[in-house]
Amino acid sequence: MRAMCIALLLTLSAGVALAQQSSSEAAVWKLEHSYWEDVKAVDLAGYRALWHKDFVGWPYVNAKPEREDHIADWLEQYAAKGVRLKSYSLQPEGSLANGNIVVTYYMLTAVWADKSGNGRPRTSRITHTWLRTPGGWQILGGMSAYQAEDQR
C-alpha cells in the first residue's frame, strides 16, 4: 500500500511539473520531438536547421566533441549503411528556461534497424541547450551517452 501511495504521489508530482512548464520549454520540447522525426525520416535539411552555427557538442557516436559543420555526419553514415531509426520513445526528465536559453534532459529509447528491419532497443541519456534566435530556437550545445543496462 505504501509503495502504491508513493507511486501515485510521484505520478501526480510529474503532472504538476509538466503543467508548470514555461511556453519556451513547451516550444523546445516540441522541437526535440521534431528532431527525432527528422532523424527517422532522414530529413537532413530539417535536421540541420535545428542546429546553431556556433554549436559544439559531444554525441555518443563521436570520440570527441564536434562542431555544427559535422553534426549530420553520423546520420549520413547510418543512412549509407541502410540503418534507419525504426521507432523511438522520448521520456523528458527535466528542463529549465532562463531568458533565451532552454536546457532539456531526456531519455531516448530507440530501435535502429538494419536493411532487414532487425534491431533492438537501446536507451540513451541526452541533453541539449537551446538558444532563441531571431529565426527560432536552435541547439547550441549538447551531449549524449548510452544508458548502462544496470541503470535502467
Side-chain angles (χ1 to χ4, degrees):
M1 181 64 162
R2 182 177 176 193
M4 286 178 53
C5 289
I6 291 172
L8 179 61
L9 180 60
L10 289 174
T11 302
L12 293 173
S13 297
V16 169
L18 290 175
Q20 294 175 350
Q21 200 175 65
S22 71
S23 61
S24 294
E25 288 169 288
V28 165
W29 281 117
K30 285 182 184 178
L31 289 169
E32 289 287 5
H33 285 280
S34 294
Y35 170 111
W36 290 103
E37 288 300 316
D38 289 343
V39 168
K40 191 173 180 184
V42 192
D43 178 358
L44 294 173
Y47 180 78
R48 285 188 179 110
L50 295 171
W51 303 92
H52 191 274
K53 64 180 179 58
D54 295 328
F55 170 83
V56 65
W58 202 342
Y60 66 82
V61 296
N62 293 66
K64 60 184 173 116
E66 292 290 345
R67 295 283 182 174
E68 184 271 339
D69 57 336
H70 290 285
I71 199 60
D73 291 358
W74 72 274
L75 185 53
E76 291 172 335
Q77 292 166 3
Y78 276 35
K81 294 178 191 172
V83 176
R84 299 277 197 256
L85 179 60
K86 184 175 183 178
S87 64
Y88 71 92
S89 172
L90 188 155
Q91 177 60 47
E93 295 293 339
S95 60
L96 173 69
N98 189 339
N100 288 331
I101 300 284
V102 173
V103 182
T104 60
Y105 299 91
Y106 60 95
M107 302 293 280
L108 182 86
T109 300
V111 176
W112 290 93
D114 60 20
K115 290 178 184 178
S116 302
N118 299 317
R120 66 179 183 87
R122 297 263 339 240
T123 301
S124 304
R125 296 182 202 185
I126 300 175
T127 183
H128 285 138
T129 300
W130 293 79
L131 176 66
R132 186 186 348 246
T133 70
W137 290 98
Q138 290 186 304
I139 303 170
L140 183 63
M143 190 166 186
S144 64
Y146 277 127
Q147 175 75 3
E149 295 288 331
D150 61 353
Q151 292 180 330
R152 289 190 201 170

